[in-house]
Amino acid sequence: QVQVVQSGAEVKKPGASVKVSCKASGYTFTIYAIQWVRQAPGQSLEWMGWINPDNGDTKYSQKFQGRVTITRDTSASTVYMELSSLRSEDTAVYYCARDRYGDLDYWGQGTLVTVSS
Amino acid sequence: QSALTQPPSVSGSPGQSVTISCTGTTSDVGGYNRVSWYQQPPGTAPKLIISDVNNRPSGVPDRFSGSKSGNTASLTISGLQAEDEADYYCSLYTSTTVVFGGGTKLTVL
């Protein structure tokens, strides 16, 4: 069965970086893109970017351009999202999701990133 | 691209029907059919319930249906059940971006 499992919660200081992992299993990893979406407390979902695990091509939201980097390790069926220059407004739950031709059909459990001095 | 507009909240009694709207422009909702809906109960990850305007993934009850007219997409939930209480988000997928609505909190009275 398809599973998407993310790394655990993180606490970071302002200005630091965070790297969240997303391990997929139960299907051929390189067939479907992986999307990253975040949700600040009490707020809506916000798209951050995606990666094509087959060739590593990425596309980022303009809002995060320059601060976010999405990479993959095909040998480990894992995608990584790194966000730099963290500020308090980046406190949120970060989700990865399998993108099956436009349908985000399997989501990770979410990773809470807290930015606090 | 701006977020899609949804009502902040809707409510209904068990057995009733409710409709949640998702309004965009001719450049987004009006121009694409890649509108999806996600259900998010408190403290959980979103779950895909409608794709491509009106397609239900396997396992989603047929009480959930989607439609689109012009720049507005809609999600209708008929025969409301207590377990339907959740936040609902529309989204638009294009080849270059994904845009979400502001979310609608459904309360089952």
Side-chain angles (χ1 to χ4, degrees):
Chain A
Q1 71 284 20
V2 175
Q3 284 192 306
V4 180
V5 180
Q6 299 180 221
S7 48
E10 303 262 14
V11 179
K12 296 292 182 181
K13 294 194 181 304
S17 297
V18 67
K19 192 171 187 177
V20 180
S21 69
C22 171
K23 182 173 175 60
S25 61
Y27 70 99
T28 302
F29 176 68
T30 53
I31 289 181
Y32 302 115
I34 294 288
Q35 302 271 1
W36 285 90
V37 175
R38 78 176 187 180
Q39 186 171 38
Q43 301 301 307
S44 177
L45 303 170
E46 182 174 34
W47 177 68
M48 300 182 70
W50 73 52
I51 187 168
N52 179 338
D54 187 30
N55 57 18
D57 284 351
T58 54
K59 178 69 177 178
Y60 302 127
S61 165
Q62 273 193 311
K63 175 174 178 176
F64 300 101
Q65 196 83 36
R67 283 209 303 145
V68 67
T69 305
I70 301 174
T71 57
R72 95 291 193 207
D73 178 350
T74 54
S75 67
S77 298
T78 299
V79 171
Y80 302 92
M81 186 284 298
E82 184 170 21
L83 187 63
S84 62
S85 302
L86 291 169
R87 34 210 189 230
S88 58
E89 309 90 87
D90 294 317
T91 293
V93 176
Y94 290 76
Y95 293 103
C96 64
R98 189 180 81 161
D99 174 358
R100 186 174 180 277
Y101 309 125
D103 301 330
L104 278 58
D105 60 353
Y106 286 92
W107 292 64
Q109 80 276 22
T111 297
L112 175 61
V113 176
T114 302
V115 183
S116 174
S117 56
Chain B
Q1 205 155 5
S2 301
L4 307 175
T5 300
Q6 297 181 231
S9 64
V10 297
S11 62
S13 300
Q16 289 186 331
S17 294
V18 295
T19 296
I20 299 172
S21 61
C22 172
T23 301
T25 68
T26 53
S27 299
D28 43 55
V29 174
Y32 295 88
N33 282 329
R34 304 307 302 275
V35 177
S36 302
W37 289 90
Y38 297 87
Q39 176 193 59
Q40 186 180 34
T44 70
K47 173 190 173 185
L48 177 68
I49 56 172
I50 294 289
S51 66
D52 293 340
V53 175
N54 57 11
N55 291 318
R56 271 189 318 276
S58 173
V60 175
D62 60 6
R63 302 185 295 102
F64 294 88
S65 63
S67 63
K68 192 183 86 165
S69 177
N71 300 335
T72 299
S74 299
L75 170 71
T76 298
I77 309 170
S78 57
L80 267 180
Q81 300 181 1
E83 67 206 47
D84 299 333
E85 188 158 291
D87 293 329
Y88 291 83
Y89 296 92
C90 63
S91 80
L92 175 73
Y93 177 99
T94 73
S95 61
T96 57
T97 189
V98 179
V99 181
F100 289 96
T104 299
K105 180 176 180 60
L106 168 63
T107 301
V108 180
L109 303 170

